[in-house]
Amino acid sequence: MKKIQLDISSIKTQYPRAWKDFEDFYTELNEAYGFQATQSFEVYPFEYQLGVFFRFFMDNGIELDVCNIEFDLIPAAIEENFKGHNQAVAHYS
């Protein structure tokens, strides 16, 4: 099995408004489930991150189609969604 990673530091730099939304969402999600994250989100395996990203995009009405692309292309789809969300947040700010 190929280890898949997402370049989160690049997303933070290129799409700061969208990442801020994600951080707020992630904090609320942890609080809702009573989960105390002892590590930063970036150190978790991609498969764990994918579930959180999927929920974030669903809650924001953004489609993340993971069923019709190869698994190793999912990070590019996530980055594209952050790009679009960053533009939307910038437009309405």
Side-chain angles (χ1 to χ4, degrees):
M1 175 186 282
K2 188 191 301 187
K3 185 175 179 182
I4 305 294
Q5 290 185 315
L6 179 64
D7 187 356
I8 292 177
S9 62
S10 174
I11 290 174
K12 285 180 174 181
T13 302
Q14 293 183 38
Y15 315 114
R17 291 181 172 135
W19 187 257
K20 174 68 172 116
D21 272 2
F22 176 77
E23 286 180 326
D24 293 345
F25 166 83
Y26 185 59
T27 299
E28 290 175 17
L29 185 68
N30 286 332
E31 289 171 0
Y33 287 104
F35 182 68
Q36 297 295 321
T38 57
Q39 300 179 20
S40 68
F41 182 76
E42 293 91 314
V43 301
Y44 291 113
F46 176 71
E47 289 80 3
Y48 171 84
Q49 293 172 345
L50 180 58
V52 178
F53 286 135
F54 190 74
R55 175 69 188 266
F56 171 69
F57 293 131
M58 279 183 62
D59 284 7
N60 284 285
I62 303 168
E63 183 178 352
L64 179 61
D65 185 3
V66 297
C67 296
N68 293 312
I69 60 174
E70 293 183 32
F71 191 73
D72 60 342
L73 297 177
I74 294 173
I78 290 171
E79 186 169 348
E80 190 65 29
N81 281 359
F82 269 102
K83 179 181 179 181
H85 186 64
N86 198 71
Q87 291 170 343
V89 172
H91 177 74
Y92 291 108
S93 293

